[in-house]
């Protein structure tokens, strides 16, 4: 079994459970490397890569025959320093994996999307050391993985230079219009089937009644009916809420990859052949403009009662 390192941030963030579930699927001896900006200093990709390399080499560098797998959540930050870590470890690098397995010969196989999620590829690394980033939401259907027992705080390398490769001038929260799809427990998504920009309110009203976030399929965003921060799918947000309601969403493979890990999926669509029904736990073949307002009224009545 490989030695598995799980890279986590003390501040938490999306992808932690997915990384742990992926490590559990490998069946290896999982260790956690905790990144703490207070210990490491301001973020810099070279600094993070070198600090992790030093820790991993200290613990697993004595046995050249041992397989080592390093797993990180696939975020904008990890996508910047993970390739540098792979180079410093002499490791193979695989980005945004959605599945992992061990073949009959004991070799690792990672699954990832390619060509804008139109195809899925199985990747077999040829090196004993592998660095991989795990797609957020990829293991959303799995049971929560327990916290590993071996946790190591990543310290600043003793020989690191004081002057960093970049200077942090300040930080400002990104404006997302109050949309937080990644951590939402309930999401109602408007698809092209809602009919137009003036009809998106039918999804917004149901979302409000459910105390849910409002999502959108790519056609809705491309047509300008909702801003891009609402988009669900492989080219938008990958989500795993407890409840996902799809209104007029046909269910392209790109969209399914972004929400199929949801615990309960409800689809409402006039087309009984729509691909969304292949992943739905509950499906209603009907006009969403008849069903959704009725559900909204029922929820509002129950709430007022």
């Amino acid at each position: 079994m490989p030695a598995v390192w799980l890279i986590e941030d003390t501040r938490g963030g999306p992808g932690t459970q997915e990384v742990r579930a992926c490590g559990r699927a490998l069946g290896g001896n999982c260790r956690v490397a905790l990144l703490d900006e207070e210990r490491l200093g301001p973020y810099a990709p070279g600094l993070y890569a070198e600090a992790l390399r030093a820790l991993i080499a200290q613990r697993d560098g004595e046995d050249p025959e041992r397989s080592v797998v390093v797993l990180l959540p696939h975020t904008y930050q990890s996508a910047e320093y993970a390739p540098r870590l792979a180079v410093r470890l002499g490791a193979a690098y695989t980005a945004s994996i959605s599945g992992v397995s061990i073949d009959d010969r004991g070799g690792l196989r990672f699954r990832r999307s390619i060509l804008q999620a139109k195809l899925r590829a199985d990747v077999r690394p040829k090196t004993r050391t592998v660095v991989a980033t795990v797609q957020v939401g990829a293991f959303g259907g799995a049971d929560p993985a327990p916290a590993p027992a071996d946790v190591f705080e990543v310290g600043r390398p003793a020989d690191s230079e004081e002057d960093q490769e970049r200077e942090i001038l300040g930080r400002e929260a990104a404006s997302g219009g109050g949309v937080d799809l990644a951590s939402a427990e309930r999401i109602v998504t408007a698809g092209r089937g809602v009919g137009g920009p003036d009809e998106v309110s039918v999804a917004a009203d149901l979302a409000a009644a459910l105390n849910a976030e409002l999502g959108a399929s790519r056609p809705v965003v491309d047509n300008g009916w909702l801003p891009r921060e609402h988009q669900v799918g492989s080219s938008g947000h990958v989500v795993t809420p407890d409840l996902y309601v799809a209104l007029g969403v046909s269910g392209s493979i790109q969209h399914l990859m972004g929400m199929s890990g949801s615990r309960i999926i409800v689809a409402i669509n006039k087309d009984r052949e729509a691909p969304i029904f292949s992943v739905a736990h509950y499906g209603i073949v009907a006009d969403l403009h008849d069903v959704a307002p009725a559900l909204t009224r029922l929820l509002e009545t129950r709430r007022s009662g």
Side-chain angles (χ1 to χ4, degrees):
M1 293 294 180
V4 181
W5 283 92
L6 314 179
I7 312 304
E8 298 182 7
D9 195 303
T10 54
R11 295 170 296 181
T16 298
Q17 285 301 323
E18 285 86 347
V19 166
R20 292 185 179 182
C22 186
R24 183 178 60 179
L26 285 171
N29 176 27
C30 293
R31 302 168 177 172
V32 167
L34 269 182
L35 297 169
D36 187 349
E37 193 170 285
E38 292 186 2
R39 289 173 56 88
L40 287 171
Y43 167 73
L47 173 64
Y48 273 44
E50 178 57 27
L52 287 169
R53 183 211 63 79
L55 175 62
I56 294 170
Q58 177 187 1
R59 297 289 172 177
D60 291 304
E62 298 179 358
D63 185 0
E65 299 299 316
R66 189 175 192 186
S67 297
V68 178
V69 179
V70 183
L71 301 174
L72 310 89
H74 187 73
T75 63
Y76 290 114
Q77 183 167 290
S78 67
E80 184 178 33
Y81 72 81
R84 299 189 184 206
L85 173 61
V87 170
R88 296 182 189 216
L89 290 173
Y93 174 64
T94 305
S96 193
I97 65 172
S98 58
V100 64
S101 61
I102 300 177
D103 61 28
D104 296 338
R105 295 181 295 174
L108 295 174
R109 288 186 181 273
F110 296 103
R111 172 159 290 189
R112 64 185 300 268
S113 300
I114 59 174
L115 300 177
Q116 295 183 338
K118 292 182 174 64
L119 296 174
R120 295 183 183 181
D122 285 336
V123 180
R124 181 168 60 86
K126 295 183 178 180
T127 59
R128 290 189 175 275
T129 303
V130 181
V131 175
T133 59
V134 182
Q135 185 182 86
V136 177
F139 292 83
D143 295 331
D150 296 329
V151 179
F152 301 89
E153 292 186 344
V154 182
R156 188 182 183 89
D159 57 350
S160 63
E161 299 180 0
E162 286 300 322
D163 54 335
Q164 297 299 313
E165 54 202 298
R166 63 179 66 179
E167 179 184 359
I168 306 298
L169 301 179
R171 295 184 178 183
E172 183 177 347
S175 176
V179 181
D180 187 11
L181 293 176
S183 59
E185 295 182 359
R186 292 174 293 277
I187 296 174
V188 176
T189 291
R192 179 161 41 191
V194 298
D198 296 334
E199 306 296 334
V200 172
S201 59
V202 71
D205 291 343
L206 181 57
L210 284 168
N211 193 24
E213 290 283 1
L214 178 62
S217 65
R218 182 168 181 171
V220 169
V221 172
D222 288 347
N223 288 327
W225 302 351
L226 281 173
R228 189 159 299 277
E229 57 262 25
H230 291 270
Q231 183 174 329
V232 175
S234 60
S235 56
H237 294 277
V238 177
V239 299
T240 56
D242 291 336
L243 174 64
Y244 188 88
V245 181
L247 300 180
V249 176
S250 62
S252 67
I253 186 172
Q254 293 89 342
H255 189 83
L256 298 185
M257 287 191 64
M259 45 67 68
S260 58
S262 305
R263 192 168 70 88
I264 297 177
I265 300 171
V266 179
I268 305 173
N269 200 301
K270 289 192 296 185
D271 180 8
R272 64 176 63 251
E273 303 298 328
I276 190 69
F277 288 123
S278 67
V279 299
H281 300 93
Y282 301 95
I284 302 175
V285 180
D287 188 333
L288 68 91
H289 290 286
D290 294 331
V291 178
L295 288 175
T296 300
R297 290 192 297 270
L298 177 61
L299 291 166
E300 291 175 344
T301 299
R302 288 187 174 181
R303 180 180 297 175
S304 62

